[in-house]
Amino acid sequence: MSNKAKVISALFLSLMLLLAGCGSNSKSSSSAAKETTKESTTAALKHDKSELVVGLDDDPPQLDPHFSTAAVDRQVFHSIYDTLVDVDEKLNFVPALAEKWEISQDAKTYTFFLRKNVKFHDGTPFNAEAVKFNFERMMDPKAGSPRASELSSVQSIEVIDENTLKVQLSKPYSPFLAALSDRAGMMVSPTAVKEKGADFANSPVGTGPFKFVSRVKQDKIEVAKNPDYWGGAPKFEKITYRPYADENVRLTNLTSGDVDIISKVPPKDVEKLKTDSNLKLSEVGALGFQGLYLNNKNAPFNNKALRQALNLVIDRDAIIKVALRNTAVPSAGAIPPSSWAFDKTLKPTKQNIEKAKKIMADAGFPSGFSFTLQLPAKPVEQQMGQMIQSMAAEAGIKVKLELVEFGTMLDNMDNYKFDAVRLGWSGRTDPDGNIFALYHTTGSINYGYSNPKMDQLLEAARVETDQAKRKEIYSQAAKLGQEEVPYIFLYHELDYKAYKNNLQGYKHIPDTMMRFQDVSFK
C-alpha cells in the first residue's frame, strides 16, 4: 500500500471512530433519532445541564393566559407567569403571588395580601394596582376573554394599599380560589399590555421564573432564567419547548437524548417505559375528561335523540383496551374519580345498538344519519376515530373522519364550523371548572346547549359553601347531562410524564401542568 493510501486509510479509520463516539449525540443525525442503546443514554447524560428541553404534545396556539383555551398553552404559562394562588401535589391551595388571603364570614369578600418587591420581567412593579388591571382586563365585555365567566361574580375591586387588594363578590363563589390558581389568576404586565396591544401574545411578559425570549411557530418556544425571581432563581439558564404532535417522534426524541421530558406519553408505550432504566415514568389520575364535543346549535346534533343514539353506539371499554392500552377509565360525566365531587353511583353509558336504532326510528331517522368528526392527526386519535366510525356504522350512522390541525380545530369550534370534535378538557381543581364550563348556557366550552334547569343547578352549586351539599347538586346536574347528552364522555385519562432519570425535583401535580422552577439535573 502506498504512503498516500496509508494516510487516507488512517484518516478514514479516525473519522469512523470519531463518528462512532459522537454520532448518538448529533441532533442532525438520522440514526440519533432512532437510537435507544447505551450510547444514546450516554449522550443524554452529556446534555447541556444549563438547558431543559421539553417535548410538548402540540404547538401552543396562544401565549396570553387571559385569552387561552388550550391545555397545551398552560404547559408554557407556568414558566412565564405566576398565579395569585397555586396548588400542591394534593391540590391544596398554597400561596403564590398572594402570600395569604382572608375570606369574610359571608364568603363574599376576599382580601389578598400580596408579595412585596416583585417585578414583572419588563421592570413594572407587581402590586395591587397591577392585579386590579388584570382583573378588569379579563372582565371587560369588549375583550371577549374566556376568563370572564370565571370572574363573573366579581362586583368590585378595591386597592387598599400597594400590597393589599379587596375583591367583593356579588354572591358567594366557591370555586374562586381554584380559578385564581389557573389562568384567571395569572398576572400579565400592565405596561406590556398597554404598549403591545393585540401583539402581547407574541412577546408575553409575566413575573414567572423564566422570561419569554422567542418563538418560531411549529418549531420552538424559548424562555430564559429570571435571575430576580421572588421564589429564587431557577436552576436552568433556559428552557426550550418543542412541539411534537406526532407521538412517535416525541418519544423518539426523548429516548435519543434530544428531549429531557415530555408532556404526554403515547398509551402504547407506557408499559415499555415502565421497564426503561434510563427514564422515569410518573403517573397521576388527571382532573379532566375526554370525549366528543357536539355542535348543539346545528343539525344533526341540535336533535337530542341523535345525540343519545350516538352516545349509545360507543363501546368505551373497547376504546380504552385497544386504542388506549388501559391507560384510562370509562367516563360517566365531567367530574373525574380524583375529585371530591365524584359520584360513583353514576355509571358510564354501555353500548346498546338496538336501543340506538329505536331512538333514531322514533325520532324519524330509521335509516340513521351522517356527520363529520374532526380529530387531531395523531395515531391514537385516528385509531379511536376509526373505532367510533365502525361502531356507529352498526346502527346506520355514517361518520366521516376529518384530520384537522389543533389550532384550526379550536377556531372551527369557536365559529361553530363543526358537527363533532374528538377533544377533551384538561380539568380544574374545583369541579365547577369542569361541569359549569361544559353545561351552563354561558360556559366557556359549551357549544350551543342551554337548559334552564341545568343552569339553575350549576348556579346553586357555585354559591353553596357546604361541600356535601355541592356534591349532591353536581350529582343531579351530571344525571341531567347523561339524559341530554350535549357532550359524549368517553374516558378519564391517567396522566403520564416521562423524563430522564438524571432529572430531579420534578413534582407531578394532578392538574397535569409542568412546573420547572425547582427542577435541575443531578
Side-chain angles (χ1 to χ4, degrees):
M1 183 183 293
S2 68
N3 287 337
K4 183 178 181 181
K6 289 178 180 178
V7 171
I8 293 172
S9 177
L11 286 171
F12 180 76
L13 179 60
S14 298
L15 179 61
M16 291 299 101
L17 289 171
L18 179 63
L19 288 173
C22 67
S24 64
N25 198 36
S26 168
K27 292 185 180 181
S28 62
S29 168
S30 60
S31 62
K34 301 175 183 176
E35 191 64 71
T36 57
T37 62
K38 186 176 180 180
E39 285 80 1
S40 76
T41 305
T42 302
L45 292 175
K46 291 179 180 178
H47 186 83
D48 182 359
K49 290 191 175 184
S50 68
E51 178 187 8
L52 182 73
V53 182
V54 181
L56 300 177
D57 56 298
D58 228 312
D59 193 38
Q62 170 65 262
L63 293 185
D64 185 335
H66 299 170
F67 294 92
S68 164
T69 56
V72 70
D73 297 346
R74 297 161 66 205
Q75 300 291 6
V76 180
F77 289 166
H78 281 282
S79 286
I80 300 173
Y81 305 103
D82 288 315
T83 49
L84 288 175
V85 178
D86 205 355
V87 291
D88 62 16
E89 290 164 286
K90 294 184 178 180
L91 298 178
N92 298 310
F93 296 119
V94 295
L97 286 175
E99 287 186 310
K100 61 179 181 176
W101 50 88
E102 294 175 353
I103 306 173
S104 63
Q105 193 169 359
D106 65 2
K108 293 198 292 184
T109 304
Y110 286 68
T111 304
F112 295 95
F113 302 91
L114 309 177
R115 291 189 186 276
K116 299 175 181 177
N117 303 315
V118 176
K119 290 187 177 181
F120 289 96
H121 301 151
D122 60 3
T124 301
F126 168 76
N127 52 31
E129 287 288 356
V131 178
K132 186 173 186 288
F133 172 89
N134 274 261
F135 278 6
E136 290 175 345
R137 181 182 189 234
M138 291 181 274
M139 293 164 59
D140 181 358
K142 296 178 182 177
S145 168
R147 310 282 81 79
S149 64
E150 297 162 22
L151 301 176
S152 60
S153 60
V154 174
Q155 188 174 55
S156 65
I157 306 157
E158 181 185 356
V159 173
I160 304 300
D161 58 41
E162 187 174 5
N163 300 109
T164 311
L165 186 84
K166 183 180 287 186
V167 179
Q168 183 70 38
L169 307 184
S170 57
K171 53 190 173 184
Y173 179 55
S174 294
F176 191 50
L177 289 180
L180 298 184
S181 72
D182 195 8
R183 284 169 287 199
M186 290 182 181
M187 298 291 103
V188 304
S189 165
T191 302
V193 169
K194 292 171 185 175
E195 289 178 352
K196 299 174 183 181
D199 197 48
F200 175 83
N202 296 321
S203 51
V205 180
T207 63
F210 294 88
K211 302 178 181 182
F212 176 81
V213 175
S214 65
R215 174 177 193 171
V216 179
K217 288 195 174 182
Q218 302 297 333
D219 181 33
K220 64 180 178 179
I221 296 170
E222 293 180 318
V223 296
K225 177 170 74 173
N226 175 9
D228 302 317
Y229 186 57
W230 59 265
K235 312 297 189 296
F236 294 112
E237 292 296 323
K238 67 181 291 189
I239 298 178
T240 300
Y241 293 91
R242 291 193 175 275
Y244 300 102
D246 187 314
E247 60 190 25
N248 294 317
V249 175
R250 190 187 325 136
L251 188 68
T252 298
N253 275 273
L254 176 68
T255 56
S256 71
D258 287 345
V259 165
D260 302 311
I261 183 171
I262 58 176
S263 62
K264 280 187 178 290
V265 176
K268 64 182 178 60
D269 296 307
V270 167
E271 288 303 316
K272 180 175 70 176
L273 291 182
K274 285 180 179 178
T275 60
D276 190 329
S277 61
N278 302 316
L279 299 170
K280 289 182 181 178
L281 182 71
S282 180
E283 172 193 306
V284 298
L287 295 173
F289 54 81
Q290 297 290 325
L292 307 180
Y293 283 99
L294 304 180
N295 184 342
N296 286 244
K297 268 190 176 181
N298 303 323
F301 296 122
N302 57 357
N303 187 323
K304 182 173 78 170
L306 302 189
R307 300 197 301 267
Q308 292 173 329
L310 179 61
N311 190 39
L312 283 164
V313 302
I314 298 173
D315 185 339
R316 289 153 179 80
D317 292 327
I319 288 174
I320 290 170
K321 181 179 180 180
V322 177
L324 302 174
R325 310 294 178 94
N326 296 312
T327 60
V329 295
S331 175
I335 299 174
S338 55
S339 172
W340 56 262
F342 179 71
D343 183 352
K344 62 183 180 181
T345 67
L346 197 66
K347 302 299 182 183
T349 302
K350 290 291 184 182
Q351 185 185 50
N352 191 328
I353 300 296
E354 293 308 312
K355 186 175 180 181
K357 287 180 177 179
K358 184 178 187 308
I359 287 174
M360 288 189 291
D362 291 345
F365 293 84
S367 301
F369 65 99
S370 62
F371 72 95
T372 298
L373 173 61
Q374 298 182 28
L375 62 159
K378 301 177 182 180
V380 69
E381 295 288 354
Q382 293 179 55
Q383 187 175 15
M384 270 196 285
Q386 290 163 0
M387 291 181 73
I388 292 170
Q389 185 182 51
S390 176
M391 294 167 184
E394 294 182 53
I397 302 172
K398 301 175 182 65
V399 184
K400 177 186 176 183
L401 303 179
E402 181 182 358
L403 304 183
V404 183
E405 186 270 330
F406 185 60
T408 303
M409 182 183 294
L410 294 181
D411 287 340
N412 289 346
M413 294 174 74
D414 287 343
N415 294 290
Y416 287 87
K417 295 179 179 178
F418 73 100
D419 296 330
V421 170
R422 209 330 278 152
L423 203 61
W425 182 243
S426 57
R428 300 294 181 267
T429 53
D430 189 280
D432 176 87
N434 283 16
I435 195 166
F436 189 100
L438 185 69
Y439 283 156
H440 194 274
T441 300
T442 64
S444 60
I445 52 172
N446 179 326
Y447 295 94
Y449 170 69
S450 183
N451 182 323
K453 183 179 178 181
M454 179 69 82
D455 288 352
Q456 184 179 15
L457 286 169
L458 298 178
E459 288 163 12
R462 280 188 158 184
V463 300
E464 178 58 64
T465 56
D466 183 283
Q467 195 174 91
K469 292 179 180 177
R470 287 187 77 200
K471 181 177 179 178
E472 173 56 33
I473 296 170
Y474 285 135
S475 293
Q476 293 178 48
K479 289 170 184 174
L480 180 58
Q482 272 199 330
E483 164 66 20
E484 304 241 297
V485 203
Y487 178 93
I488 293 180
F489 296 98
L490 296 180
Y491 60 92
H492 297 292
E493 62 187 343
L494 299 172
D495 185 61
Y496 295 92
K497 299 287 188 279
Y499 50 94
K500 292 176 181 176
N501 59 12
N502 65 328
L503 201 67
Q504 62 184 4
Y506 180 72
K507 296 178 181 178
H508 196 170
I509 295 177
D511 68 1
T512 75
M513 299 302 133
M514 298 182 292
R515 297 158 171 85
F516 296 121
Q517 195 258 322
D518 297 318
V519 177
S520 64
F521 287 119
K522 292 178 184 176

